[in-house]
Amino acid sequence: MNNKVKTMIRKRFIFVAIACIASLFCVSFSFKTQKNSLNNTDQIIGVWQIVSPALIGEGQEKIKIITKERFIWTHSINGEIMMSLGGTYSFDGDIYTENIKFGTSNQRIAFGKKFINKIRFENNKMYTSGGYENDPRIFNEIWERVE
């Protein structure tokens, strides 16, 4: 082989090697970004208390508990649970969807439905805006982390 051919082969080899390294870097970065977005679920896990809209009446409290796979909220008056719903949820980017599986009998109409929220976090607060699937009513709520 002459020197021109050897030089051309070396240049192509270097080019292919750089292209492979760049591709691996891009794939690695893409995987890391995807993994980080999946870890955003951690910010939703906890115990939350509603701060807006303000509940009417003294002794009222609305709490939402979100674990790794499930949620439940309760509305109590003077320690007695008046309403409650729970089930599983999904959290993808800024969309939080509750799949309602159970609750108190006065909430039976919600069983089997999806409650879909656009969600954002700021400081120790969770801002939600959404409603039941195929229902035009929108509920805007602010929850504060208590645990």
Side-chain angles (χ1 to χ4, degrees):
M1 252 189 273
N2 67 28
N3 284 338
K4 271 186 168 180
V5 173
K6 287 181 182 179
T7 302
M8 193 166 46
I9 290 173
R10 272 191 216 130
K11 284 182 180 179
R12 283 189 180 171
F13 177 77
I14 291 170
F15 176 77
V16 169
I18 290 172
C20 287
I21 291 169
S23 295
L24 287 173
F25 175 77
C26 289
V27 168
S28 173
F29 179 76
S30 173
F31 179 73
K32 185 175 182 180
T33 302
Q34 182 182 18
K35 185 177 177 187
N36 285 343
S37 71
L38 292 174
N39 287 339
N40 286 342
T41 302
D42 292 344
Q43 65 189 332
I44 202 169
I45 294 172
V47 179
W48 302 87
Q49 183 171 16
I50 200 159
V51 292
S52 178
L55 298 174
I56 299 169
E58 199 172 310
Q60 293 194 40
E61 184 175 50
K62 188 173 179 182
I63 298 287
K64 183 179 289 214
I65 301 169
I66 303 174
T67 67
K68 199 171 185 176
E69 298 174 354
R70 301 188 178 276
F71 80 95
I72 186 170
W73 65 256
T74 63
H75 183 165
S76 63
I77 299 175
N78 297 321
E80 183 179 346
I81 295 175
M82 305 306 285
M83 293 183 279
S84 181
L85 286 174
T88 60
Y89 72 90
S90 61
F91 183 43
D92 186 18
D94 65 348
I95 303 298
Y96 167 70
T97 303
E98 296 175 340
N99 304 297
I100 300 167
K101 307 282 186 192
F102 60 88
T104 52
S105 61
N106 59 355
Q107 296 293 303
R108 188 174 306 277
I109 193 165
F111 295 5
K113 293 189 177 178
K114 291 178 186 271
F115 195 85
I116 304 167
N117 285 288
K118 188 162 177 78
I119 192 170
R120 73 180 170 85
F121 299 91
E122 190 174 305
N123 298 321
N124 231 12
K125 292 190 169 72
M126 174 173 64
Y127 297 81
T128 62
S129 179
Y132 291 101
E133 195 172 42
N134 302 318
D135 186 335
R137 295 176 295 164
I138 299 294
F139 300 90
N140 295 301
E141 298 174 327
I142 301 172
W143 298 82
E144 187 170 39
R145 186 183 298 277
V146 293
E147 196 173 294

